[in-house]
């Protein structure tokens, strides 16, 4: 099939996986740039599809997509794409929701276990002083997970995968997801919370697995932290802007939160201008061992990257070839298709 597919900011130089799917008739353009304006207008105007990582596909950018039929976000989240503008132009927007499911679930569980068993805190204390660090007292967030309640916010693929991992540890599972139909909890035997506040009041560990939308932005704010059980953990491997970092900082400082584990932040990469990041970086005794920060790597394994690249190009290619639409996230705005 003859087509032109633009990869504005792909990390791969040769696009070997993508070429293997699209075949010799496809022209793959990979300028490896970080902004719309850094790429020639003709590349945007003449492409049949866009597979994008982080370059914003705004309404202004959509105006230059003269031939484009589909935009694929090379990842799970799709907040970098203006869904309504694309839909109004007849452009389908899709994501890749299933490439790093197990990796993200494993990352969330790893943070929970790290706090509960103190592996990182004890290692750091011993590295600083072998003699005085030889004590269990540096495990400041320790708790027994057997019998504890895991609260999952967003019970999609990743949230379900985490729940299935936590259950053999003896944890009770409760989830909150207003998008799921009635009875979604029945096959698992989990408890469904009808409100976020209900879940927060039940959970010893809260793990976020929701997409970033207008409804979920800063849903973990000061009021949400106040509604949580004293001494709870808060884990976020979803999107940084779901949590108000000022509320998390105050929760840690007051002792309301025992621990906070973040793979994501509202601004990435972070700076010390964020007081939560500054407090973590200073590593003062009051926060030491109670916060983990990762550089948005929960999705990563060599296998997951292969899956991501293959699934993204398959989504674009199959749509261009025969109109098969998978994982469309702007269906409500897509009244017509190009």
């Amino acid at each position: 099939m003859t087509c032109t597919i633009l990869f504005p900011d792909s990390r791969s130089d040769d696009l070997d996986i993508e070429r293997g799917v699209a075949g010799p008739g496809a022209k793959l353009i990979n300028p490896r740039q970080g902004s719309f304006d850094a790429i020639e207008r003709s590349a945007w105007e003449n492409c049949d599809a866009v597979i994008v990582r982080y370059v914003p596909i705004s309404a202004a950018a959509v105006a230059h997509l003269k031939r484009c039929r589909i935009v694929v976000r090379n990842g799970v989240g799709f907040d970098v794409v203006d869904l309504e503008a694309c839909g109004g132009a007849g452009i389908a927007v899709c994501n890749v929701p299933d490439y790093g499911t197990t990796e993200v679930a494993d990352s969330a569980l790893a943070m929970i276990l790290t706090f509960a068993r103190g592996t990182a805190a004890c290692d750091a204390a011993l590295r600083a002083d072998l003699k005085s660090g030889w004590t269990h007292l540096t495990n400041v967030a320790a708790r027994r997970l057997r019998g504890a309640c895991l609260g999952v916010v967003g019970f999609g693929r990743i949230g379900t995968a985490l729940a299935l991992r936590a259950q053999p540890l003896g944890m009770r599972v409760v989830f909150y997801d207003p998008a799921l139909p009635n009875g979604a909890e029945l096959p698992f035997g989990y408890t469904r919370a009808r409100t976020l506040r209900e879940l927060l009041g039940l959970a010893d560990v809260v793990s976020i697995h929701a997409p970033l939308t207008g409804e979920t932005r800063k849903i973990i704010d000061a009021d949400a932290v106040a509604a949580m059980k004293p001494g709870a953990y808060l884990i976020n491997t979803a999107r940084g802007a779901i949590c108000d970092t000022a509320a998390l900082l105050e929760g840690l400082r007051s002792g309301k939160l025992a621990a906070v584990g973040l793979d994501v932040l509202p601004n990435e990469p972070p700076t010390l201008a964020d007081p939560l990041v500054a407090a973590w970086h200073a590593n003062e005794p009051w926060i030491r061992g109670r916060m983990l920060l990762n550089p948005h790597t929960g999705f990563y394994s060599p296998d997951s990257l292969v899956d991501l690249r293959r699934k993204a190009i398959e989504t674009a290619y199959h749509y261009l070839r025969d109109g098969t639409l998978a994982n469309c996230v702007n269906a409500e705005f897509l009244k017509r298709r190009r």
Side-chain angles (χ1 to χ4, degrees):
M1 180 182 69
T2 301
C3 62
T4 300
I5 303 177
L6 174 63
F7 297 77
D9 52 355
S10 173
R11 297 174 181 173
S12 174
D13 287 316
D14 54 11
L15 297 176
D16 54 329
I17 294 172
E18 292 80 0
R19 294 183 193 282
V21 172
K27 181 180 180 181
L28 308 185
I29 302 175
N30 183 18
R32 292 175 65 91
Q33 298 296 326
S35 69
F36 175 85
D37 290 331
I39 300 170
E40 292 183 4
R41 289 289 189 273
S42 60
W44 296 104
E45 293 171 356
N46 296 321
C47 68
D48 299 292
V50 175
I51 298 180
V52 64
R53 291 175 58 238
Y54 296 118
V55 171
I57 306 299
S58 64
V62 171
H64 294 277
L65 298 177
K66 306 296 186 182
R67 287 175 39 184
C68 183
R69 295 175 56 201
I70 183 171
V71 172
V72 179
R73 166 81 221 303
N74 209 12
V76 178
F78 42 85
D79 44 289
V80 299
V81 183
D82 189 321
L83 304 185
E84 186 172 1
C86 284
I91 302 171
V93 180
C94 303
N95 68 341
V96 185
D98 55 343
Y99 78 97
T101 298
T102 57
E103 284 82 358
V104 178
D106 290 346
S107 296
L109 182 60
M111 285 186 164
I112 295 168
L113 288 169
T114 297
F115 288 132
R117 303 314 317 135
T119 49
C122 291
D123 178 84
L126 285 170
R127 187 180 300 276
D129 190 324
L130 276 173
K131 184 176 180 180
S132 65
W134 196 262
T135 173
H136 67 279
L137 296 178
T138 55
N139 185 2
V140 294
R143 71 170 307 133
R144 175 178 287 172
L145 293 179
R146 178 170 56 84
C149 179
L150 170 67
V152 180
V153 179
F155 202 63
R157 296 170 181 84
I158 298 170
T160 304
L162 174 62
L164 291 171
R165 282 155 171 72
Q167 195 170 11
L169 299 178
M171 299 188 76
R172 298 178 293 109
V173 176
V174 58
F175 73 88
Y176 169 68
D177 193 329
L180 293 182
N182 289 341
E185 70 278 11
L186 297 180
F188 301 99
Y190 300 150
T191 299
R192 180 172 192 167
R194 293 298 171 179
T195 66
L196 177 61
R197 180 171 290 272
E198 179 187 355
L199 177 140
L200 296 175
L202 293 171
D204 300 293
V205 178
V206 175
S207 192
I208 309 296
H209 300 286
L212 178 62
T213 66
E215 290 73 29
T216 63
R217 185 177 296 273
K218 288 191 177 182
I219 58 168
I220 304 300
D221 56 9
D223 289 341
V225 171
M228 292 176 68
K229 292 177 68 174
Y233 300 168
L234 187 285
I235 310 295
N236 186 11
T237 55
R239 282 293 181 268
I242 291 174
C243 295
D244 181 349
T245 58
L248 299 185
L249 175 60
E250 181 54 34
L252 284 169
R253 196 187 303 275
S254 69
K256 184 63 182 286
L257 296 176
V260 169
L262 302 177
D263 183 55
V264 290
L265 286 166
N267 297 301
E268 298 175 357
T271 70
L272 297 182
D274 185 328
L276 177 64
V277 176
W280 164 83
H281 191 266
N283 200 32
E284 295 179 1
W286 69 269
I287 199 173
R288 190 174 302 153
R290 300 175 58 214
M291 181 170 165
L292 292 171
L293 183 58
N294 283 181
H296 204 149
T297 56
F299 71 93
Y300 173 71
S301 75
D303 293 325
S304 72
L305 286 187
V306 171
D307 285 349
L308 173 61
R309 293 173 58 191
R310 176 177 54 80
K311 290 173 183 287
I313 187 64
E314 286 176 347
T315 299
Y317 179 76
H318 291 161
Y319 184 68
L320 294 177
R321 186 186 65 185
D322 53 30
T324 301
L325 187 57
N327 306 319
C328 182
V329 296
N330 74 330
E332 63 180 307
F333 304 115
L334 191 63
K335 307 305 180 185
R336 62 178 180 85
R337 297 195 207 174
R338 286 182 175 176

